[in-house]
Amino acid sequence: MKRLVLVAVALGILFTGTLAHANKLEEIKARGTLICGVKDSTVPFGYVDETSKQLVGFDVDICKYIADAMGVGLELKAVTSASRIPMVLQGSVDIAAATMTHKIERDDVIDFSITYFMDGQKLLVPVDSGIKSVADLKGKRVATVKGSTSEKNIREAQPDCTVLSFDEYPQAMLAMKQGKAVAVTTDSTILLGLRGSDPEPSKWEILPDAISIEPYGLGIVENESKFRDFINKTLMEMWRSGEYKTTYDKWFGPETRFYLPLTWTMELWP
Ligand code: GLU
């Protein structure tokens, strides 16, 4: 009898536990707030605006659009390249909208939305450095960020360089400016952001060759298909309505300091 009761209790816990976590979408709606993890020092994706002191950027606007579509408020939490996946796993953010490339190995741990941004990894170097490609980094130090694909890709592309990994990209930029590294490497728009935020942008150049393809996805916890469907449908709706293009041009259009031609098309389900 005692055993039967124990089994019943265990089943009960299992059942309520399953119910309680059955639907992240409903949980967020009931809470009334979508919690998004964004970068706070990665221009122009997520950074603190000097005048308003608010977190702004392309990833922030993507989060706002999704929160509005859900009919809830938005709370932003700062994440780094290294902390974003653990924060999704812990449930401290509902979505990581944080310049995160959708990698198959990352998909083993969390789930991703469809691609909402496309970039590639490049090198930022001083104009007079003489460095023209990855081959020239042999025996040299290169700065990037911990937990990024940039860190891994550069090691593969140039096994004979030393990779200095920092928490944030501005620290990597500083290392290059102090002569501790000959280049900064990451996605080209982040490099444009670093260059454009520098008091003397003309001192730095982005080399044309891309080391990798970096399709960004929004990171969410695994096995929440209703939530993921909602995010994907919202991204597609944003693209179809033209709002994506407006937001894209606001941050990456020809009028900006971070111009990246929109050369790819979002996967649109009919
Ligand atoms: N998109 C790359 C990544 O997901 C590099 C940018 C970043 O560190 O967030 O790792």
Side-chain angles (χ1 to χ4, degrees), residues 52-72:
S52 68
K53 306 285 178 235
Q54 299 291 309
L55 271 174
V56 296
F58 178 74
D59 277 337
V60 173
D61 284 352
I62 293 281
C63 291
K64 274 188 195 143
Y65 191 89
I66 296 172
D68 284 350
M70 256 179 212
V72 297

Side-chain angles (χ1 to χ4, degrees), residues 39 81 84 98-101 106 145 147-150 169 186-187 190 214 216:
K39 297 284 189 78
S81 297
R84 59 197 165 188
T99 68
M100 182 156 58
T101 302
R106 287 177 176 164
V145 156
S148 64
T149 52
S150 325
Y169 287 104
T186 188
D187 305 337
I190 300 179
E214 305 288 328
Y216 290 6

Side-chain angles (χ1 to χ4, degrees), residues 50 72 80 98 100 118 120 129 142 163 169 173 189 220 232 251:
E50 277 184 14
V72 297
T80 64
M100 182 156 58
M118 188 73 88
S129 70
V142 186
V163 180
Y169 287 104
M173 180 75 182
T189 36
I220 62 163
N232 286 339
W251 296 106

Side-chain angles (χ1 to χ4, degrees), residues 8-268:
V9 170
L11 277 177
I13 291 170
L14 204 72
F15 187 61
T16 4
T18 316
L19 268 190
H21 297 100
N23 191 340
K24 186 97 180 156
L25 187 59
E26 293 310 319
E27 183 192 315
I28 295 164
K29 284 185 182 165
R31 191 200 298 142
T33 314
L34 174 72
I35 307 171
C36 276
V38 294
K39 297 284 189 78
D40 68 354
S41 48
T42 305
V43 178
F45 290 92
Y47 64 99
V48 180
D49 177 65
E50 277 184 14
T51 338
S52 68
K53 306 285 178 235
Q54 299 291 309
L55 271 174
V56 296
F58 178 74
D59 277 337
V60 173
D61 284 352
I62 293 281
C63 291
K64 274 188 195 143
Y65 191 89
I66 296 172
D68 284 350
M70 256 179 212
V72 297
L74 176 65
E75 183 186 330
L76 298 170
K77 284 191 185 171
V79 299
T80 64
S81 297
S83 75
R84 59 197 165 188
I85 290 180
M87 284 175 79
V88 168
L89 288 173
Q90 285 155 15
S92 50
V93 296
D94 300 314
I95 297 178
T99 68
M100 182 156 58
T101 302
H102 186 177
K103 294 280 290 182
I104 287 177
E105 65 196 45
R106 287 177 176 164
D107 209 302
D108 287 341
V109 188
I110 57 169
D111 275 343
F112 284 85
S113 71
I114 54 169
T115 298
Y116 74 99
F117 186 81
M118 188 73 88
D119 201 356
Q121 182 173 341
K122 293 189 176 179
L123 296 174
L124 178 71
V125 296
V127 280
D128 52 3
S129 70
I131 293 169
K132 294 285 165 237
S133 73
V134 173
D136 299 328
L137 294 176
K138 199 169 177 187
K140 304 263 189 330
R141 286 193 297 264
V142 186
T144 189
V145 156
K146 286 177 205 157
S148 64
T149 52
S150 325
E151 198 184 24
K152 282 194 169 177
N153 295 339
I154 193 67
R155 283 203 176 102
E156 275 166 33
Q158 181 45 277
D160 294 327
C161 72
T162 303
V163 180
L164 305 180
S165 295
F166 297 88
D167 289 328
E168 303 279 7
Y169 287 104
Q171 296 166 337
M173 180 75 182
L174 190 63
M176 180 171 71
K177 291 177 78 170
Q178 292 172 339
K180 293 176 185 160
V182 296
V184 177
T185 189
T186 188
D187 305 337
S188 79
T189 36
I190 300 179
L191 296 179
L192 279 170
L194 290 173
R195 187 178 179 271
S197 310
D198 193 75
E200 294 174 288
S202 58
K203 284 179 81 173
W204 319 103
E205 68 172 320
I206 298 171
L207 302 183
D209 293 346
I211 301 170
S212 64
I213 299 166
E214 305 288 328
Y216 290 6
L218 300 171
I220 62 163
V221 76
E222 286 207 297
N223 303 322
E224 287 290 352
S225 66
K226 287 204 165 28
F227 184 39
R228 199 174 52 181
D229 282 349
F230 184 88
I231 292 171
N232 286 339
K233 284 178 200 160
T234 305
L235 287 172
M236 290 180 222
E237 193 273 324
M238 190 181 182
W239 183 282
R240 282 195 172 106
S241 68
E243 189 59 30
Y244 181 92
K245 182 78 168 64
T246 307
T247 308
Y248 188 92
D249 284 345
K250 173 180 161 190
W251 296 106
F252 308 107
E255 309 295 311
T256 69
R257 286 177 296 155
F258 318 110
Y259 181 43
L260 180 74
L262 187 54
T263 53
W264 62 281
T265 308
M266 190 179 281
E267 172 192 349
L268 295 175

